[in-house]
Amino acid sequence: MTIETDAIVLGAGAAGLMTALAAGRRGRRVVVLDHAAEAGRKILISGGGRCNFTNLDTDPARFLSGNPHFAKSALARFRPADFLEMIGRHGIAWHEKTLGQLFCDGSARQVVAMLLAECAAGEVDIRLSHRVVGVSGGEGFRVETDRGVFRAPALVLATGGLSIPRMGASGLSHGLARQFGLRVTPTAPALVPLTLDAADGGWMRDLAGVSLEVLAQCGGARFREAMLLTHRGLSGPAILQVSSYWEAGRAISLNLLPGCDAGAVLREAKRRRPRVEGRTLLAGVLPQRLAQALAARHLPEGPVGEMPDAVLNRLGQILSGWRLVPAGSEGYAKAEVTRGGIDTRDLSSRTMAARTVPGLYAVGEAVDVTGWLGGYNFQWAWASGQAAGRAI
Ligand code: FDA
């Protein structure tokens, strides 16, 4: 049996559902196909179950892409306020947690329920547990699944990136883009914990669980947020953020006392408490376990009053400019998103349509646009989905 429709959306995630509801509202007949048994699974697990669904500070500069201008058009035409209007219509209560990040007061389920209700209002036909067997072009598009064949003049690639394969992430959109002659930029795990080798990480393993605010820098980007030491290396928001800018062999720099002249802080502490040990002095400005480990590595035994200022200055330099070359990342299994993807040079920034293949669109994480941590990736999914849904 072949089902004829106006548009087929591959992927019932954030971007696919937004595309479908926008096109459905305009009277288009839309079929959404997904191999998962449930729609919007990443939405459900996002933000610790409360979905950090957008960020008030959304700005194109907070997205990585081969073309930093590409996201501007879609982001300008569907803003956080537009998503909030939809959230408001569905009576979903929300709050700002920090740094412009908006979360549901209740559950991420409310966001999925809202998207499904909006799709239902547009009579979108959502078909889950459908495995895509093959896609061909020609006169429109033909999608063969293990449960039937679908044909339409428009096809939307919305199956996301490669992150969290155990949740069904696949390279389907990238593969189909290549099949239709679109370029795909190299992909890498992003918003991901970084690992350290034995030389850097060995002494830090005992510090797993220690967390502190740092200024982390990599590849020209800087983030002042929390860092978490783990058994394998470094995590926490500051590290996830810089991971998107990290490449193999590149150093990251950490300031453990952001906003202070670390040497001056240590010298002043010595003046006030000359009889304390180095680890006690450091514990005044750093978490205790980290203070002990750093004192054991960088300070002599004995009261700080007997330490030359030069020793404290040297430690101050280490604390404010700690350079590390991560051994790697924890990979797609732990990455919140995928960097890279369908090359923006081959897409219209206004409609997300492929420049050379009439009727083909790509939205969301499958495209080479990656947001910072903090609701930016969902905002991109909503905005790119709306751009395509209004054009189909
Ligand atoms: P998404 O991955 O959501 O959807 C793709 C859909 O395609 C899925 O339903 C999948 O089953 C389907 N699919 C894949 N392969 C297929 C195939 N071969 N055949 C058929 N269907 C297929 N972002 C944010 O802004 N705020 C947050 O709080 C979080 N939190 C968060 C937590 C965790 C743990 C992760 C892993 C990620 C986040 N993110 C996030 C990132 C966010 O989830 C992500 O950027 C969006 O879900 C991307 O939306 P898409 O619709 O593009 O892909």
Side-chain angles (χ1 to χ4, degrees), residues 9-18 33-55 102-103 127-128 130-133 157-164 166-173 191 332-338 363-367 369 371-382 384:
V9 177
L10 298 180
L17 292 175
M18 186 56 97
L33 301 173
D34 201 298
H35 62 179
E38 193 176 21
R41 286 180 72 202
K42 277 197 185 159
I43 301 173
L44 294 174
I45 60 159
S46 68
R50 289 220 160 95
C51 186
N52 176 195
F53 53 78
T54 191
N55 195 299
L102 304 190
F103 287 74
R127 304 211 176 197
L128 303 172
H130 277 54
R131 195 168 59 81
V132 176
V133 178
L157 306 178
T159 61
L162 303 170
S163 308
I164 324 276
R166 75 182 154 75
M167 287 194 65
S170 76
L172 181 68
S173 289
L191 300 182
Y332 289 117
K334 293 282 169 64
E336 209 162 277
V337 289
T338 299
V363 293
E365 200 181 317
V367 178
V369 174
W372 284 5
L373 186 75
Y376 297 98
N377 285 296
F378 279 137
Q379 187 57 35
W380 170 244
W382 314 138
S384 58

Side-chain angles (χ1 to χ4, degrees), residues 114-170:
M114 173 189 82
L115 295 170
L116 293 178
E118 291 278 329
C119 281
E123 295 182 24
V124 174
D125 180 359
I126 299 176
R127 304 211 176 197
L128 303 172
S129 303
H130 277 54
R131 195 168 59 81
V132 176
V133 178
V135 177
S136 52
E139 287 283 290
F141 298 90
R142 180 181 185 275
V143 178
E144 187 182 342
T145 74
D146 58 349
R147 295 170 69 178
V149 174
F150 300 82
R151 288 182 57 89
L155 177 69
V156 184
L157 306 178
T159 61
L162 303 170
S163 308
I164 324 276
R166 75 182 154 75
M167 287 194 65
S170 76

Side-chain angles (χ1 to χ4, degrees), residues 267-288:
R267 290 195 309 276
E268 172 60 15
K270 164 184 155 177
R271 197 185 57 71
R272 279 191 285 108
R273 302 173 70 197
R275 281 205 277 276
V276 302
E277 297 268 324
R279 61 172 182 272
T280 311
L281 178 103
L282 270 183
V285 289
L286 291 172
Q288 192 169 15

Side-chain angles (χ1 to χ4, degrees), residues 178-204:
R178 286 194 191 94
Q179 179 186 320
F180 287 107
L182 276 58
R183 290 166 284 187
V184 177
T185 66
T187 57
L191 300 182
V192 64
L194 297 174
T195 57
L196 298 173
D197 62 18
D200 277 325
W203 66 275
M204 287 163 55

